[in-house]
Structures are given as structure tokens and as C-alpha cells.
């Protein structure tokens, strides 16, 4: 298997990230990457955005926030977004990204990472459970609130 590596999101890689494809039916579970990037501008000091590369090709994107001062505990160490190109899904890219995010959270002194996602047949539930997230609740909008303990 080809080695995977992380790189900070940049002007060079954002075009490739926006071009990541999804499998049919997955689009309902994810907003365009541009939305996440725009939202991060509000407080870039707490945002962690990385692209996942296999060789020199962008095959994934992960965004998290680390804000120990957030008034909401679930938002202090949270995975906001993970995209893996349709052709790379099932090849370890998502697991690699979540493991890297978890390591970053640990380095920053957190003992868990939270994720919030919409449930559904083609949604990310199976993936999140496979990489160690456990459902701990539900949001007011019916989304799953899950946590991965470090």
C-alpha cells in the first residue's frame, strides 16, 4: 500500500479538495468543502484543516476544531468534517485521517474527540463506529453525537 501523509490545507490543495468525489447517495450527508473553509475563517486559531495525500494526489480532507474555552463541551475537541474521495474509500484514508486527528487532540491535552453527523442508510455511521466513535447522545435536530476516547 502507498504511504499516506497529511499536509495543511493551502491555496495549492484547496482546488483538489473541492474536486473530491463522493459515492452516489453520500452527497446528502456533506456540505461542500468551501463551506467548512469559510466557516473556519471566523476563528482560525482553533481550526485544524489537513489534506490527506497518497503520493502527491489529494485523496481526503479532515477538519477539526480545538477550543478548550468553548462554552459547549462537545465543541471543545470536535471533528467537523471528513471527506474521502470515492475512489479511495475503503483504502484506509479515513482511518488514517481520524487517527491523525486523534493524535493532534492528544497533543493538545484533550482526552476525546466528538463528532456530530446525520444518520441515514448511506451515512457515515458505520465508518465512525469502525474507527472507535461511540454514540453518546443526539442533538436537538436528530443528529448523532458520538465520541472517541483517546
Amino acid at each position: 500500500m502507498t504511504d499516506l501523509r497529511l499536509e495543511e490545507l493551502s491555496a495549492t490543495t484547496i482546488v483538489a479538495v473541492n474536486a473530491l468525489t463522493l459515492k452516489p447517495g453520500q452527497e446528502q450527508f456533506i456540505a461542500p468543502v468551501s463551506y467548512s473553509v469559510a466557516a473556519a475563517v471566523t476563528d482560525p486559531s482553533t481550526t485544524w484543516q489537513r489534506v490527506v495525500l497518497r503520493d502527491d494526489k489529494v485523496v481526503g480532507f479532515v477538519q477539526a476544531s480545538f477550543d478548550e474555552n468553548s462554552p459547549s463541551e462537545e465543541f471543545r475537541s470536535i471533528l467537523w468534517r471528513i471527506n474521502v474521495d470515492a475512489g479511495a474509500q475503503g483504502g484506509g484514508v479515513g482511518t488514517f485521517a481520524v487517527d491523525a486527528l486523534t493524535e493532534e487532540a492528544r497533543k493538545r491535552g484533550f482526552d476525546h474527540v466528538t463528532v456530530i453527523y446525520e444518520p441515514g442508510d448511506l451515512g457515515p455511521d458505520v465508518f465512525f463506529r469502525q474507527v472507535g466513535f461511540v454514540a453518546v447522545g443526539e442533538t436537538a435536530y436528530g443528529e448523532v453525537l458520538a465520541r472517541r476516547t483517546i
Side-chain angles (χ1 to χ4, degrees):
M1 183 168 112
T2 308
D3 287 325
L4 297 170
R5 64 184 169 87
L6 284 182
E7 189 175 288
E8 282 191 55
L9 182 68
S10 68
T12 304
T13 57
I14 196 167
V15 173
V17 169
N18 276 318
L20 291 173
T21 59
L22 299 171
K23 290 184 177 179
Q26 291 178 332
E27 59 279 339
Q28 70 187 22
F29 297 99
I30 197 156
V33 172
S34 302
Y35 292 12
S36 294
V37 173
V41 174
T42 57
D43 191 355
S45 68
T46 62
T47 301
W48 187 81
Q49 297 176 313
R50 300 293 185 270
V51 294
V52 181
L53 296 108
R54 176 170 279 140
D55 297 322
D56 288 326
K57 182 181 179 194
V58 174
V59 293
F61 172 74
V62 60
Q63 176 180 338
S65 179
F66 300 109
D67 183 1
E68 62 188 22
N69 297 316
S70 174
S72 298
E73 190 277 328
E74 63 268 16
F75 296 139
R76 292 183 188 146
S77 175
I78 187 164
L79 167 59
W80 279 121
R81 156 180 229 97
I82 184 166
N83 290 36
V84 175
D85 189 72
Q89 289 181 21
V93 175
T95 300
F96 173 81
V98 170
D99 288 346
L101 163 64
T102 302
E103 182 57 28
E104 183 67 22
R106 183 186 346 267
K107 287 179 189 174
R108 293 176 184 236
F110 293 99
D111 63 1
H112 70 276
V113 174
T114 303
V115 68
I116 298 171
Y117 61 89
E118 192 173 323
D121 290 340
L122 299 174
D125 183 65
V126 171
F127 168 75
F128 285 128
R129 283 188 283 120
Q130 286 176 340
V131 295
F133 283 90
V134 176
V136 294
E138 187 176 290
T139 70
Y141 302 104
E143 299 157 317
V144 176
L145 176 66
R147 178 172 293 146
R148 180 180 181 182
T149 303
I150 299 172

